Amino acid sequence: MMLKDKIHATQNSTNVCAEIEGFDFHDYDDRDIAELRRLWLQFGVLRFKRTQISDADQVRFSKHFGDFVIHPKQLQEGGHPTHPEILVISNQMKDGKPSGALGNSEATWHTDTWFYERPPAGAILRAVQVPPSGGDTYFLSTYLAYESLPEALKKAITGRQIFFQNVYDKTGKLRLNKTEPKTTDFREWDGVVHPLVRMHGETGRQALYLGGTIEGAWIVGMPMDESLSLLKELWDHTTGMADIFVQTWEEGDIMMWDNRCTMHRRDGFDPTTIRIMHRTTTSGERPV
């Protein structure tokens, strides 16, 4: 469908992503950005195919969608040499170490930095170099996850909050500036509490908020066994939905997603091949 004189959006059959055509990353105005923001809020995920832009272009574009957020991995191995706004996701080796962060094998379903008080609103990911196969990225809508819940499950989670520990990452490594806890009960560790169903700060729609893992998550006030059982049911429902968009990357592709109402994951790939992605992240509100 034609939405502006030059910007076209075609919704994917999964109802998760829209393909954008006609947007010029080198020549755009405030009206173009406003239209993209409208589409981003409407669809949750936008795809731009085979763009030819620089790191500076990506940073300039990203600034229109909010203040930058520094991903924790940017303070470690994922920093960009000249653009601090960019997280480098790469498995390429330099001096015997990966030249970027988060670049190896598979990444399971998650919402970005769910363990923050204010998780980011959005992310813009650009393919710099991709392997011949593998490394596909999958997206789902947590709006749809909530809206398609059976009424009994909706009732069970109404008003509930979820606690996420933020001491260890998903690989079991201590996060930056964290220390080993003195107890095995993760509910006593450092962490953050968010609503299990969050209202989007701009659209007002409700979305299920599961974070990034069942491990280290607890529905506040519930016995642990009941919390675990309910979380498994919610995760199975969400990741088992038919409406999942699969991005098979080509160099120059850009995926732009709303972190407040989507989840994503990545396939593994041959570690002898190179995969380099550059990502910018924008700030968001505290979930309510």
Side-chain angles (χ1 to χ4, degrees), residues 140-268:
L140 62 79
S141 167
T142 52
Y143 285 149
L144 296 180
Y146 174 72
E147 292 165 0
S148 61
L149 281 174
E151 287 303 316
L153 268 182
K154 280 187 180 179
K155 185 177 180 180
I157 64 176
T158 298
R160 288 287 188 179
Q161 294 181 309
I162 186 167
F163 170 82
F164 301 115
Q165 65 84 13
N166 59 16
V167 178
Y168 293 100
D169 66 18
K170 293 178 73 169
T171 68
K173 295 180 181 178
L174 274 175
R175 295 195 186 277
L176 194 64
N177 299 323
K178 295 294 181 179
T179 57
E180 295 277 356
K182 297 179 179 180
T183 174
T184 58
D185 187 345
F186 69 82
R187 293 174 294 179
E188 299 179 17
W189 301 354
D190 287 345
V192 64
V193 174
H194 288 313
L196 190 50
V197 179
R198 67 173 295 180
M199 181 178 291
H200 194 288
E202 295 183 74
T203 68
R205 291 178 68 183
Q206 290 183 302
L208 198 56
Y209 199 68
L210 297 176
T213 176
I214 291 179
E215 292 75 22
W218 169 55
I219 301 177
V220 177
M222 273 192 173
M224 279 297 295
D225 58 341
E226 292 181 21
S227 171
L228 181 60
S229 177
L230 182 51
L231 285 174
K232 285 182 176 178
E233 195 169 0
L234 293 171
W235 272 93
D236 287 346
H237 168 81
T238 300
T239 60
M241 292 192 303
D243 286 331
I244 291 176
F245 176 77
V246 183
Q247 161 66 358
T248 299
W249 292 94
E250 296 181 273
E251 290 184 11
D253 286 358
I254 292 176
M255 297 301 294
M256 176 177 176
W257 66 90
D258 190 330
N259 192 55
R260 298 164 290 187
C261 59
T262 62
M263 297 179 76
H264 58 280
R265 74 171 185 85
R266 182 185 71 227
D267 274 346

Side-chain angles (χ1 to χ4, degrees), residues 50-113:
R50 295 181 294 278
T51 68
Q52 294 183 340
I53 68 172
S54 67
D55 290 338
D57 292 332
Q58 182 174 349
V59 170
R60 181 172 70 97
F61 173 74
S62 303
K63 284 180 180 178
H64 295 288
F65 296 91
D67 295 332
F68 288 105
V69 172
I70 301 300
H71 191 282
K73 292 294 184 182
Q74 282 168 260
L75 304 176
Q76 298 167 289
E77 67 270 27
H80 189 283
T82 58
H83 292 285
E85 304 91 346
I86 291 177
L87 168 66
V88 179
I89 301 172
S90 172
N91 68 325
Q92 190 173 44
M93 303 300 287
K94 183 179 181 181
D95 300 327
K97 297 179 180 180
S99 61
L102 309 170
N104 295 314
S105 65
E106 184 178 2
T108 56
W109 285 111
H110 64 284
T111 297
D112 288 325
T113 46

